[in-house]
Protein backbone atom coordinates (compact mmCIF):
# COMPACT_ATOMS: atom_id res chain seq x y z
CA UNK A 1 0.00 0.00 0.00
CA UNK A 2 1.26 3.48 -0.82
CA UNK A 3 2.29 5.48 2.21
CA UNK A 4 0.35 8.67 2.94
CA UNK A 5 3.22 10.81 4.26
CA UNK A 6 1.16 13.91 5.02
CA UNK A 7 -2.43 13.84 6.18
CA UNK A 8 -4.61 16.90 6.58
CA UNK A 9 -7.78 17.14 8.67
CA UNK A 10 -10.09 19.70 7.05
CA UNK A 11 -11.81 20.32 10.41
CA UNK A 12 -8.46 21.43 11.88
CA UNK A 13 -6.66 24.75 11.29
CA UNK A 14 -3.70 24.33 8.94
CA UNK A 15 -1.64 26.27 11.51
CA UNK A 16 -1.94 23.22 13.80
CA UNK A 17 -0.46 20.92 11.13
CA UNK A 18 3.36 20.98 11.21
CA UNK A 19 3.62 19.23 7.82
CA UNK A 20 2.14 22.36 6.23
CA UNK A 21 3.79 25.75 5.55
CA UNK A 22 2.91 28.96 3.68
CA UNK A 23 6.28 30.59 2.98
CA UNK A 24 9.42 29.55 1.04
CA UNK A 25 12.49 29.40 3.26
CA UNK A 26 15.48 27.00 3.34
CA UNK A 27 15.34 26.71 7.16
CA UNK A 28 11.90 25.03 7.16
CA UNK A 29 12.66 21.44 8.27
CA UNK A 30 11.65 18.54 6.05
CA UNK A 31 8.22 17.17 6.98
CA UNK A 32 9.31 13.68 5.86
CA UNK A 33 12.14 11.94 3.97
CA UNK A 34 11.89 9.52 1.05
CA UNK A 35 14.32 7.64 -1.21
CA UNK A 36 14.66 8.12 -4.98
CA UNK A 37 12.20 5.72 -6.62
CA UNK A 38 9.66 5.92 -3.78
CA UNK A 39 6.03 6.72 -4.44
CA UNK A 40 3.83 8.29 -1.77
CA UNK A 41 0.70 10.37 -1.18
CA UNK A 42 0.48 13.90 0.21
CA UNK A 43 -2.87 15.31 1.27
CA UNK A 44 -3.35 19.08 0.96
CA UNK A 45 -5.68 21.80 2.13
CA UNK A 46 -7.20 24.05 -0.49
CA UNK A 47 -4.90 27.05 -0.93
CA UNK A 48 -6.85 29.15 1.62
CA UNK A 49 -6.77 26.44 4.28
CA UNK A 50 -10.55 26.09 4.38
CA UNK A 51 -11.43 29.79 4.56
CA UNK A 52 -13.84 29.65 1.60
CA UNK A 53 -17.09 27.83 2.40
CA UNK A 54 -19.61 25.94 0.29
CA UNK A 55 -22.41 28.51 0.57
CA UNK A 56 -24.08 31.29 -1.43
CA UNK A 57 -22.23 34.30 -0.04
CA UNK A 58 -19.04 35.88 -1.41
CA UNK A 59 -18.22 37.61 1.88
CA UNK A 60 -15.52 35.01 2.59
CA UNK A 61 -13.81 35.84 -0.72
CA UNK A 62 -14.07 39.56 0.06
CA UNK A 63 -12.69 39.16 3.60
CA UNK A 64 -9.85 36.69 3.11
CA UNK A 65 -6.51 37.70 4.61
CA UNK A 66 -4.08 37.07 1.76
CA UNK A 67 -1.10 36.96 4.15
CA UNK A 68 -2.31 33.45 5.08
CA UNK A 69 -1.85 31.81 1.67
CA UNK A 70 -0.86 29.36 0.15
CA UNK A 71 -0.97 26.37 2.51
CA UNK A 72 1.46 23.81 1.08
CA UNK A 73 2.12 20.23 2.14
CA UNK A 74 5.81 19.49 2.66
CA UNK A 75 8.66 19.97 2.34
CA UNK A 76 9.58 16.40 1.38
CA UNK A 77 13.26 15.56 1.61
CA UNK A 78 14.69 13.23 -1.03
CA UNK A 79 17.77 11.36 0.16
CA UNK A 80 20.84 12.05 -1.97
CA UNK A 81 19.39 15.15 -3.68
CA UNK A 82 21.98 17.95 -3.92
CA UNK A 83 22.06 21.44 -5.42
CA UNK A 84 22.36 21.22 -9.21
CA UNK A 85 20.37 18.00 -9.50
CA UNK A 86 17.02 17.68 -11.19
CA UNK A 87 14.20 16.25 -9.10
CA UNK A 88 11.97 14.16 -11.36
CA UNK A 89 8.39 14.10 -10.11
CA UNK A 90 5.79 11.78 -11.62
CA UNK A 91 2.30 13.04 -10.78
CA UNK A 92 0.81 9.54 -10.69
CA UNK A 93 -2.68 10.63 -9.68
CA UNK A 94 -4.50 13.56 -8.08
CA UNK A 95 -7.95 13.71 -6.53
CA UNK A 96 -10.31 15.60 -4.26
CA UNK A 97 -10.60 14.68 -0.59
CA UNK A 98 -13.50 12.20 -0.33
CA UNK A 99 -15.04 14.29 2.47
CA UNK A 100 -14.87 17.45 0.34
CA UNK A 101 -16.21 16.77 -3.17
CA UNK A 102 -16.58 20.39 -4.19
CA UNK A 103 -14.45 23.38 -5.09
CA UNK A 104 -14.72 27.13 -5.50
CA UNK A 105 -13.89 29.82 -8.02
CA UNK A 106 -13.62 33.34 -6.68
CA UNK A 107 -13.12 36.81 -8.06
CA UNK A 108 -11.15 38.90 -5.59
CA UNK A 109 -12.14 42.42 -4.72
CA UNK A 110 -9.95 45.00 -6.43
CA UNK A 111 -9.01 46.20 -2.93
CA UNK A 112 -7.86 42.70 -1.98
CA UNK A 113 -5.68 41.28 -4.74
CA UNK A 114 -7.99 41.82 -7.73
CA UNK A 115 -7.79 39.62 -10.81
CA UNK A 116 -6.96 39.78 -14.51
CA UNK A 117 -10.14 41.76 -15.28
CA UNK A 118 -10.35 43.61 -11.95
CA UNK A 119 -11.25 46.93 -13.60
CA UNK A 120 -14.34 45.23 -15.06
CA UNK A 121 -15.16 43.02 -12.04
CA UNK A 122 -13.96 44.99 -8.99
CA UNK A 123 -16.13 43.26 -6.38
CA UNK A 124 -15.79 39.90 -4.68
CA UNK A 125 -17.78 37.08 -6.26
CA UNK A 126 -17.64 33.31 -6.17
CA UNK A 127 -19.09 30.18 -7.70
CA UNK A 128 -19.26 26.72 -6.11
CA UNK A 129 -18.52 23.67 -8.26
CA UNK A 130 -19.66 20.16 -7.34
CA UNK A 131 -17.64 17.11 -8.37
CA UNK A 132 -19.36 14.08 -9.90
CA UNK A 133 -16.46 11.70 -10.35
CA UNK A 134 -14.31 13.25 -13.05
CA UNK A 135 -16.98 15.83 -14.03
CA UNK A 136 -18.01 19.14 -12.49
CA UNK A 137 -20.94 21.55 -12.65
CA UNK A 138 -22.03 24.62 -10.68
CA UNK A 139 -25.36 25.78 -9.26
CA UNK A 140 -24.12 29.33 -9.89
CA UNK A 141 -23.23 28.82 -13.57
CA UNK A 142 -25.94 26.81 -15.34
CA UNK A 143 -25.55 25.21 -18.76
CA UNK A 144 -21.95 24.01 -18.51
CA UNK A 145 -20.46 20.68 -17.47
CA UNK A 146 -16.95 19.43 -18.12
CA UNK A 147 -14.30 16.90 -17.16
CA UNK A 148 -11.61 18.01 -14.76
CA UNK A 149 -8.03 18.50 -15.88
CA UNK A 150 -6.80 18.07 -12.31
CA UNK A 151 -3.44 19.64 -11.40
CA UNK A 152 -1.49 21.28 -8.61
CA UNK A 153 -1.45 25.06 -9.08
CA UNK A 154 1.66 25.22 -6.93
CA UNK A 155 4.59 22.80 -6.72
CA UNK A 156 8.33 23.31 -6.38
CA UNK A 157 11.50 22.86 -4.35
CA UNK A 158 12.93 25.02 -1.57
CA UNK A 159 15.22 27.90 -2.56
CA UNK A 160 18.67 28.18 -1.01
CA UNK A 161 19.58 31.34 0.87
CA UNK A 162 21.15 33.27 -2.08
CA UNK A 163 18.07 32.54 -4.22
CA UNK A 164 15.70 33.61 -1.42
CA UNK A 165 17.64 36.85 -0.97
CA UNK A 166 17.57 37.50 -4.73
CA UNK A 167 13.78 36.99 -4.85
CA UNK A 168 13.20 39.33 -1.93
CA UNK A 169 15.53 42.00 -3.27
CA UNK A 170 14.16 42.13 -6.80
CA UNK A 171 10.52 42.10 -5.65
CA UNK A 172 11.13 44.78 -2.97
CA UNK A 173 12.85 46.95 -5.62
CA UNK A 174 9.85 46.46 -7.89
CA UNK A 175 7.33 47.37 -5.17
CA UNK A 176 9.36 50.53 -4.46
CA UNK A 177 8.61 51.82 -7.99
CA UNK A 178 4.92 52.27 -7.03
CA UNK A 179 4.45 51.43 -3.32
CA UNK A 180 0.86 52.67 -3.06
CA UNK A 181 -0.55 50.68 -5.97
CA UNK A 182 -3.87 48.84 -5.54
CA UNK A 183 -3.60 45.90 -6.11
CA UNK A 184 0.11 45.90 -5.18
CA UNK A 185 2.90 45.20 -7.66
CA UNK A 186 4.10 42.26 -5.52
CA UNK A 187 3.80 40.92 -1.98
CA UNK A 188 6.81 41.42 0.31
CA UNK A 189 7.65 38.99 3.14
CA UNK A 190 5.17 39.22 5.99
CA UNK A 191 5.76 37.51 9.34
CA UNK A 192 2.11 38.01 10.20
CA UNK A 193 0.25 34.74 9.57
CA UNK A 194 3.42 32.96 8.41
CA UNK A 195 3.34 29.21 9.01
CA UNK A 196 6.85 27.76 9.05
CA UNK A 197 6.04 24.07 9.45
CA UNK A 198 8.13 22.40 12.15
CA UNK A 199 10.31 25.45 12.76
CA UNK A 200 9.98 26.97 16.25
CA UNK A 201 11.41 29.69 18.50
CA UNK A 202 13.64 32.55 17.39
CA UNK A 203 14.76 30.61 14.29
CA UNK A 204 11.11 30.46 13.29
CA UNK A 205 10.55 34.18 13.87
CA UNK A 206 13.63 35.10 11.84
CA UNK A 207 12.61 32.83 8.96
CA UNK A 208 9.01 34.09 9.07
CA UNK A 209 10.23 37.67 8.65
CA UNK A 210 12.21 36.85 5.48
CA UNK A 211 10.35 33.87 3.98
CA UNK A 212 9.25 34.47 0.39
CA UNK A 213 5.56 34.66 -0.26
CA UNK A 214 4.05 31.85 -2.30
CA UNK A 215 2.07 34.00 -4.75
CA UNK A 216 4.29 34.24 -7.85
CA UNK A 217 5.90 31.55 -9.97
CA UNK A 218 9.68 31.78 -9.73
CA UNK A 219 12.79 29.92 -10.94
CA UNK A 220 11.83 26.86 -8.85
CA UNK A 221 8.36 26.58 -10.33
CA UNK A 222 6.07 27.49 -7.44
CA UNK A 223 2.70 29.02 -8.22
CA UNK A 224 2.80 28.45 -11.99
CA UNK A 225 -0.90 27.55 -12.34
CA UNK A 226 -0.31 25.52 -15.49
CA UNK A 227 -3.46 23.53 -16.22
CA UNK A 228 -1.56 20.97 -18.33
CA UNK A 229 0.78 20.07 -15.47
CA UNK A 230 -1.91 17.54 -14.64
CA UNK A 231 -2.16 14.05 -13.21
CA UNK A 232 -0.04 11.78 -15.38
CA UNK A 233 2.57 14.43 -16.19
CA UNK A 234 6.25 14.28 -15.28
CA UNK A 235 8.06 17.35 -13.99
CA UNK A 236 11.80 18.11 -13.72
CA UNK A 237 12.54 20.57 -10.91
CA UNK A 238 15.85 22.35 -10.25
CA UNK A 239 17.29 21.43 -6.82
CA UNK A 240 18.89 24.16 -4.70
CA UNK A 241 19.20 22.59 -1.21
CA UNK A 242 20.30 19.20 0.11
CA UNK A 243 17.21 16.97 0.06
CA UNK A 244 15.44 19.22 -2.51
CA UNK A 245 12.48 20.06 -0.21
CA UNK A 246 9.50 19.45 -2.49
CA UNK A 247 6.20 21.07 -1.52
CA UNK A 248 2.81 21.02 -3.21
CA UNK A 249 -0.63 22.56 -2.78
CA UNK A 250 -3.26 24.79 -4.38
CA UNK A 251 -4.91 21.84 -6.15
CA UNK A 252 -7.25 22.68 -9.01
CA UNK A 253 -10.03 20.43 -10.28
CA UNK A 254 -9.96 22.44 -13.51
CA UNK A 255 -8.69 25.77 -14.80
CA UNK A 256 -8.65 27.84 -17.97
CA UNK A 257 -5.30 29.09 -19.29
CA UNK A 258 -4.25 32.19 -17.38
CA UNK A 259 -6.28 31.39 -14.23
CA UNK A 260 -7.77 34.78 -14.99
CA UNK A 261 -10.13 35.06 -12.01
CA UNK A 262 -7.07 34.70 -9.68
CA UNK A 263 -9.04 32.80 -6.97
CA UNK A 264 -8.68 31.29 -9.37
CA UNK A 265 -9.36 27.90 -10.86
CA UNK A 266 -11.74 25.40 -9.25
CA UNK A 267 -9.87 25.35 -5.94
CA UNK A 268 -10.06 22.22 -3.83
CA UNK A 269 -8.60 20.23 -0.96
CA UNK A 270 -7.23 16.88 -2.10
CA UNK A 271 -4.33 14.49 -2.43
CA UNK A 272 -1.41 13.95 -4.78
CA UNK A 273 0.13 10.52 -5.44
CA UNK A 274 3.66 11.04 -6.72
CA UNK A 275 6.97 9.32 -7.34
CA UNK A 276 10.38 11.02 -7.12
CA UNK A 277 13.67 10.30 -8.83
CA UNK A 278 16.92 12.21 -9.40
CA UNK A 279 19.04 13.21 -12.38
CA UNK A 280 22.39 13.96 -10.75
CA UNK A 281 23.86 17.22 -12.01
CA UNK A 282 20.86 17.55 -14.31
CA UNK A 283 20.63 21.35 -14.20
CA UNK A 284 23.99 21.79 -15.94
CA UNK A 285 23.57 18.72 -18.16
CA UNK A 286 20.36 20.10 -19.68
CA UNK A 287 20.87 23.84 -19.21
CA UNK A 288 17.87 24.05 -16.87
CA UNK A 289 16.98 27.33 -15.14
CA UNK A 290 13.22 26.87 -14.78
CA UNK A 291 11.36 23.53 -14.52
CA UNK A 292 10.42 21.55 -17.62
CA UNK A 293 7.67 18.94 -17.82
CA UNK A 294 6.14 16.23 -19.96
CA UNK A 295 2.35 16.23 -20.47
CA UNK A 296 -0.08 13.59 -19.28
CA UNK A 297 -1.23 10.81 -21.62
CA UNK A 298 -4.76 11.48 -20.32
CA UNK A 299 -6.51 14.81 -20.86
CA UNK A 300 -10.13 15.75 -21.58
CA UNK A 301 -10.58 15.83 -25.35
CA UNK A 302 -12.26 18.82 -26.98
CA UNK A 303 -12.07 19.07 -30.75
CA UNK A 304 -14.32 22.00 -31.39
CA UNK A 305 -13.78 25.57 -30.23
CA UNK A 306 -14.97 29.10 -30.83
CA UNK A 307 -11.70 31.06 -30.85
CA UNK A 308 -11.62 34.72 -29.86
CA UNK A 309 -8.89 37.03 -31.08
CA UNK A 310 -7.52 39.96 -29.11
CA UNK A 311 -4.95 42.59 -30.06
CA UNK A 312 -2.82 44.96 -28.01
CA UNK A 313 -5.23 47.89 -28.19
CA UNK A 314 -6.81 48.47 -24.79
CA UNK A 315 -10.41 49.23 -23.74
CA UNK A 316 -9.82 52.98 -24.20
CA UNK A 317 -8.51 52.46 -27.72
CA UNK A 318 -4.89 53.12 -26.70
CA UNK A 319 -2.19 51.43 -28.72
CA UNK A 320 0.30 49.19 -26.85
CA UNK A 321 3.51 47.78 -28.34
CA UNK A 322 3.26 43.98 -28.83
CA UNK A 323 1.76 43.67 -25.32
CA UNK A 324 0.48 40.12 -24.87
CA UNK A 325 -1.12 40.95 -21.51
CA UNK A 326 -3.32 43.60 -23.14
CA UNK A 327 -4.06 41.34 -26.12
CA UNK A 328 -5.14 38.37 -23.98
CA UNK A 329 -7.34 40.65 -21.89
CA UNK A 330 -9.11 41.79 -25.07
CA UNK A 331 -9.61 38.17 -26.17
CA UNK A 332 -11.15 37.37 -22.76
CA UNK A 333 -13.40 40.45 -22.82
CA UNK A 334 -14.52 39.52 -26.35
CA UNK A 335 -15.44 36.02 -25.17
CA UNK A 336 -17.38 37.42 -22.20
CA UNK A 337 -19.39 39.79 -24.43
CA UNK A 338 -20.21 36.87 -26.73
CA UNK A 339 -21.38 34.60 -23.88
CA UNK A 340 -23.60 37.38 -22.50
CA UNK A 341 -25.66 37.08 -25.72
CA UNK A 342 -26.69 33.58 -24.57
CA UNK A 343 -28.02 34.92 -21.27
CA UNK A 344 -24.99 34.64 -19.00
CA UNK A 345 -24.08 37.52 -16.75
CA UNK A 346 -20.60 38.93 -17.19
CA UNK A 347 -19.50 37.36 -13.90
CA UNK A 348 -20.80 33.93 -14.95
CA UNK A 349 -18.93 34.19 -18.25
CA UNK A 350 -15.77 35.29 -16.39
CA UNK A 351 -16.13 32.26 -14.12
CA UNK A 352 -16.43 29.92 -17.14
CA UNK A 353 -13.20 31.32 -18.60
CA UNK A 354 -11.45 30.86 -15.25
CA UNK A 355 -12.61 27.30 -14.62
CA UNK A 356 -13.24 25.43 -17.86
CA UNK A 357 -10.43 23.90 -19.97
CA UNK A 358 -10.12 27.07 -22.02
CA UNK A 359 -6.90 27.43 -24.00
CA UNK A 360 -4.96 30.68 -24.24
CA UNK A 361 -2.44 31.09 -27.02
CA UNK A 362 0.16 33.70 -27.80
CA UNK A 363 -0.52 33.81 -31.52
CA UNK A 364 1.70 36.64 -32.78
CA UNK A 365 4.37 38.81 -31.16
CA UNK A 366 6.20 40.31 -34.16
CA UNK A 367 3.61 42.18 -36.22
CA UNK A 368 4.16 45.72 -34.95
CA UNK A 369 2.44 47.35 -33.23
CA UNK A 370 -0.07 44.64 -32.27
CA UNK A 371 0.45 41.40 -30.42
CA UNK A 372 -2.30 38.88 -31.09
CA UNK A 373 -3.58 36.52 -28.40
CA UNK A 374 -6.36 33.97 -28.81
CA UNK A 375 -8.76 32.43 -26.33
CA UNK A 376 -10.06 29.00 -27.29
CA UNK A 377 -13.48 28.27 -25.82
CA UNK A 378 -14.48 24.59 -26.12
CA UNK A 379 -18.04 24.38 -27.49
CA UNK A 380 -18.68 20.88 -26.09
CA UNK A 381 -18.73 22.01 -22.44
CA UNK A 382 -22.05 23.79 -23.08
CA UNK A 383 -25.44 22.11 -22.98
CA UNK A 384 -26.49 24.17 -26.02
CA UNK A 385 -25.00 25.37 -29.29
CA UNK A 386 -22.80 28.44 -28.90
CA UNK A 387 -21.70 28.62 -32.53
CA UNK A 388 -22.58 31.78 -34.45
CA UNK A 389 -25.48 31.17 -36.87
CA UNK A 390 -27.63 33.24 -39.19
CA UNK A 391 -30.55 32.88 -36.75
CA UNK A 392 -28.58 34.65 -34.01
CA UNK A 393 -27.91 33.63 -30.40
CA UNK A 394 -30.66 32.12 -28.27
CA UNK A 395 -30.92 33.20 -24.63
CA UNK A 396 -30.56 29.76 -23.08
CA UNK A 397 -29.75 30.99 -19.61
CA UNK A 398 -32.77 32.40 -17.85
CA UNK A 399 -32.20 35.51 -15.74
CA UNK A 400 -32.24 35.40 -11.98
CA UNK A 401 -29.20 33.23 -11.35
CA UNK A 402 -25.90 35.00 -10.84
CA UNK A 403 -22.76 34.56 -8.83
CA UNK A 404 -22.99 35.68 -5.21
CA UNK A 405 -21.64 39.24 -5.02
CA UNK A 406 -20.24 41.13 -2.04
CA UNK A 407 -20.31 44.89 -1.64
CA UNK A 408 -17.15 46.46 -0.26
ZN1 LIG B 1 -5.28 28.03 -7.09
Amino acid sequence: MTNTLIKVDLSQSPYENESVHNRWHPDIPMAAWVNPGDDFILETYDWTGGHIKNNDSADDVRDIDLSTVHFLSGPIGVKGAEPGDLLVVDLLDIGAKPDSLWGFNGVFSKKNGGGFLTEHFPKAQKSIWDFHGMFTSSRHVPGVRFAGLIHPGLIGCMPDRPMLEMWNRREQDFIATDPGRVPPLANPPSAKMAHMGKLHGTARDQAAAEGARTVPPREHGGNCDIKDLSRGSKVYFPVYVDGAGLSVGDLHFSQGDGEITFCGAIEMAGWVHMRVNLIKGGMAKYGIKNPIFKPSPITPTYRDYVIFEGISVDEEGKQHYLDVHVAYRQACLNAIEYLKKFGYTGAQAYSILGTAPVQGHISGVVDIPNACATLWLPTEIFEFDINPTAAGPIQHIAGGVDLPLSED
Side-chain angles (χ1 to χ4, degrees), residues 228-235 292-299:
D228 303 287
L229 204 160
S230 59
R231 59 175 165 172
S233 59
K234 182 194 281 284
V235 201
I292 59 175
F293 72 99
K294 300 278 297 172
S296 172
I298 297 171
T299 56

Side-chain angles (χ1 to χ4, degrees), residues 15-308:
Y15 287 98
E16 292 167 23
N17 189 326
E18 292 203 334
S19 298
V20 168
H21 63 98
N22 64 3
R23 299 290 188 271
W24 294 111
H25 197 289
D27 293 348
I28 296 174
M30 301 298 176
W33 284 90
V34 298
N35 287 303
D38 284 354
D39 70 299
F40 52 89
I41 291 171
L42 306 181
E43 295 181 351
T44 77
Y45 287 90
D46 82 80
W47 74 298
T48 72
H51 179 80
I52 308 296
K53 305 297 184 200
N54 185 348
N55 60 27
D56 299 318
S57 164
D59 291 354
D60 46 14
V61 173
R62 178 192 63 195
D63 298 336
I64 187 169
D65 177 355
L66 285 176
S67 69
T68 63
V69 299
H70 300 67
F71 291 104
L72 307 178
S73 293
I76 299 298
V78 181
K79 289 175 193 162
E82 296 171 290
D85 294 346
L86 286 178
L87 181 67
V88 186
V89 179
D90 285 286
L91 298 173
L92 301 173
D93 204 0
I94 304 172
K97 289 265 287 175
D99 55 342
S100 184
L101 295 177
W102 63 278
F104 60 89
N105 174 254
V107 176
F108 278 146
S109 158
K110 186 182 173 187
K111 293 175 187 161
N112 190 25
F116 188 55
L117 305 180
T118 197
E119 302 301 331
H120 301 271
F121 299 92
K123 292 176 178 170
Q125 295 194 269
K126 83 175 179 194
S127 52
I128 299 295
W129 296 78
D130 294 309
F131 306 151
H132 317 281
M134 62 185 279
F135 295 97
T136 187
S137 59
S138 171
R139 63 182 179 270
H140 298 122
V141 188
V144 287
R145 178 177 181 274
F146 46 85
L149 181 52
I150 303 181
H151 60 277
L154 205 163
I155 182 168
C157 296
M158 278 295 169
D160 62 4
R161 180 161 282 282
M163 176 159 276
L164 175 69
E165 287 170 359
M166 175 180 70
W167 291 351
N168 284 341
R169 190 171 54 247
R170 75 185 179 199
E171 290 172 26
Q172 294 273 19
D173 288 351
F174 189 47
I175 292 167
T177 64
D178 188 359
R181 189 178 188 273
V182 178
L185 286 174
N187 300 109
S190 167
K192 181 175 149 270
M193 307 312 288
H195 181 16
M196 308 306 286
K198 290 183 201 292
L199 201 56
H200 293 290
T202 50
R204 182 243 165 241
D205 294 345
Q206 163 105 34
E210 59 193 19
R213 303 290 298 280
T214 56
V215 176
R218 298 188 182 92
E219 286 83 347
H220 68 151
N223 196 20
C224 287
D225 291 314
I226 302 167
K227 75 180 195 321
D228 303 287
L229 204 160
S230 59
R231 59 175 165 172
S233 59
K234 182 194 281 284
V235 201
Y236 302 79
F237 289 105
V239 173
Y240 312 102
V241 301
D242 287 338
L246 177 72
S247 293
V248 63
D250 186 22
L251 301 188
H252 297 160
F253 191 84
S254 179
Q255 180 206 294
D257 279 340
E259 204 196 19
I260 61 171
T261 45
F262 181 43
C263 173
I266 299 177
E267 307 290 335
M268 67 176 193
W271 51 268
V272 183
H273 182 184
M274 58 175 90
R275 181 191 294 124
V276 293
N277 277 292
L278 293 172
I279 298 178
K280 297 301 292 178
M283 286 178 72
K285 278 179 188 163
Y286 288 102
I288 299 288
K289 186 174 88 172
N290 299 74
I292 59 175
F293 72 99
K294 300 278 297 172
S296 172
I298 297 171
T299 56
T301 307
Y302 295 103
R303 291 182 188 85
D304 188 52
Y305 294 84
V306 176
I307 299 170
F308 297 87

